[in-house]
Amino acid sequence: MSTGRLLRTLSCVSDEDNGTSWQSNGVFLQPAWDYLQQNHCDLLGSPLFPVVLSITTYFLVVSLYTMLDLLAPTWPCINRYRLHPDTPVTWPDIWTTLGVTIYNHLLYIFPAAVAQWLWRPPVPLPCEAPTLCSFFLGIFACMIVFDSQYYLWHLLHHRVPWLYHMFHAVHHRYHQPFSLVTQYMSGWELFSVGFWTTIDPLLLQCHCLTTWGFMVLNIYISTEDHCGYDFPWSMNNVAPTPLQLPPSAPGEQVEMKGREN
């Protein structure tokens, strides 16, 4: 056990002796949080952890939907839920969108992650976990703020032709949605989305566990919105967003399900 981890553990024990244990506060997430701190403290405190978490979550979700895309033409039970059942996702579509995604990650995400790793100190982890109520309310608040920010960004880039053609048109080159289109976008749009995802939990002073939950949920919802499927359990059917799509740019017909990200 490292010195930092030992000091943090002793500090938490001291807090519990002072009557701030999870039992007295009713914090249901405390046992899991204690386990994570005791066994993965260095990993969770690393400035790279949110980046790794986001990238891993995205590619896991995309891999799942891409597998469904490849199975759909021969599996009617899957194809029936596609928005465009007569137009299968092709390998050229997959390679093109995947190539842009990897290019953006190498050009923008990787340098930013390295800079953060070099210059940002490890994140101190609080001893106490968030309450179950604050955990879910924090995620909900972050989602509302993020949706509002992206709605305004999206509206502006559709209303101003120069902004649309310079920064946002690439995201609408595919009229048929599928999961890899989620991050088929310009560097400026990727930067904007990543910036809000990072800064919103800080502005709302969320617990780091809440922050990670928001990141995972936000990535899942964004990917699910672009996946090209309309399952009964899809987010737009279970919890429709109150924000509506702005109108498309002149001459641009975009067919997307649910919220446009």
Side-chain angles (χ1 to χ4, degrees):
M1 179 180 292
S2 65
T3 304
R5 187 185 303 177
L6 177 60
L7 291 175
R8 189 175 290 106
T9 302
L10 292 176
S11 175
C12 291
V13 171
S14 176
D15 287 343
E16 290 182 358
D17 291 340
N18 290 329
T20 58
S21 65
W22 69 272
Q23 291 93 340
S24 62
N25 285 318
V27 183
F28 296 103
L29 298 175
Q30 192 66 45
W33 182 241
D34 289 340
Y35 171 81
L36 291 174
Q37 286 197 99
Q38 293 169 10
N39 296 277
H40 306 286
C41 178
D42 295 334
L43 172 64
L44 298 178
S46 171
L48 288 178
F49 177 71
V51 180
V52 174
L53 177 66
S54 298
I55 294 176
T56 303
T57 301
Y58 176 71
F59 280 105
L60 283 176
V61 177
V62 163
S63 297
L64 172 62
Y65 281 116
T66 301
M67 183 175 63
L68 294 179
D69 290 335
L70 296 176
L71 293 175
T74 55
W75 288 42
C77 60
I78 298 176
N79 201 51
R80 60 180 293 200
Y81 292 108
R82 296 190 68 242
L83 297 181
H84 301 274
D86 299 326
T87 309
V89 178
T90 64
W91 277 108
D93 293 335
I94 293 174
W95 292 125
T96 300
T97 50
L98 182 60
V100 171
T101 300
I102 294 176
Y103 172 83
N104 283 337
H105 278 74
L106 291 177
L107 188 63
Y108 302 107
I109 304 299
F110 181 73
V114 171
Q116 188 168 249
W117 176 62
L118 290 175
W119 290 303
R120 184 180 177 184
V123 179
L125 301 178
C127 294
E128 292 188 2
T131 63
L132 205 59
C133 180
S134 65
F135 177 75
F136 287 112
L137 284 179
I139 292 177
F140 178 75
C142 288
M143 292 299 302
I144 292 297
V145 173
F146 178 87
D147 257 2
S148 301
Q149 291 166 332
Y150 189 79
Y151 173 80
L152 295 175
W153 188 99
H154 195 245
L155 180 65
L156 178 65
H157 284 69
H158 271 273
R159 293 293 175 84
V160 180
W162 179 82
L163 290 176
Y164 178 84
H165 292 291
M166 181 65 67
F167 299 114
H168 190 53
V170 62
H171 189 59
H172 290 298
R173 286 179 184 171
Y174 284 92
H175 292 187
Q176 174 192 347
F178 58 100
S179 61
L180 278 165
V181 174
T182 306
Q183 291 192 10
Y184 187 75
M185 57 178 61
S186 66
W188 167 241
E189 184 166 358
L190 181 65
F191 171 81
S192 300
V193 171
F195 177 76
W196 293 324
T197 303
T198 303
I199 203 68
D200 288 347
L202 297 177
L203 294 176
L204 297 177
Q205 299 182 356
C206 293
H207 191 282
C208 50
L209 192 61
T210 305
T211 300
W212 302 332
F214 160 65
M215 288 180 173
V216 170
L217 180 62
N218 195 38
I219 291 170
Y220 170 76
I221 291 178
S222 297
T223 308
E224 199 258 0
D225 280 346
H226 291 83
C227 70
Y229 291 88
D230 189 18
F231 294 114
W233 56 84
S234 296
M235 289 298 296
N236 66 298
N237 293 323
V238 176
T241 175
L243 300 179
Q244 301 299 319
L245 287 176
S248 300
E252 182 73 12
Q253 298 298 323
V254 182
E255 298 178 52
M256 296 298 287
K257 172 176 68 70
R259 183 188 62 180
E260 179 69 50
N261 279 335

